[in-house]
Amino acid sequence: MSLLFIGIDPNTGDRQSPTVWVDQEKQELVFQGWEPGPELKAECAAFEVPGHAAGIPEGEAVIRIPARMIDMVREACNALERSDVR
């Protein structure tokens, strides 16, 4: 995996570290974030999208990252768009 580090939550302490990367090989955004509380996880699991079963499939997860990281997410999206690997 060829991870390109984009950024870490600027308000991070020594224990919490929401982070954004780009996997340049797979052309994917990679996020590290906080686990949702039980209420948010249940709300996400119950949400129905047409053509998809409700629930969170095995191998997938819901994460939370703070809004103050929006610029990092944009930077990661831009890095993927600039990449000539598609």
Side-chain angles (χ1 to χ4, degrees):
M1 186 181 315
S2 55
L3 285 180
L4 171 63
F5 172 77
I6 300 297
I8 192 168
D9 179 1
N11 292 358
T12 192
D14 25 335
R15 298 193 145 215
Q16 296 185 358
S17 53
T19 308
V20 178
W21 296 274
V22 169
D23 181 329
Q24 298 175 81
E25 185 178 311
K26 292 185 178 180
Q27 293 293 286
E28 296 174 344
L29 300 173
V30 179
F31 298 104
Q32 175 181 323
W34 301 306
E35 290 184 47
E39 288 179 5
L40 178 58
K41 190 171 182 178
E43 184 177 348
C44 291
F47 194 84
E48 292 189 40
V49 176
H52 293 271
I56 301 168
E58 187 174 326
E60 294 186 12
V62 173
I63 64 160
R64 299 178 312 116
I65 60 171
R68 63 183 164 265
M69 294 179 69
I70 287 172
D71 287 340
M72 290 176 210
V73 174
R74 284 189 184 118
E75 183 180 342
C77 291
N78 291 340
L80 282 176
E81 286 182 341
R82 285 190 305 266
S83 174
D84 44 347
V85 179
R86 291 218 183 197

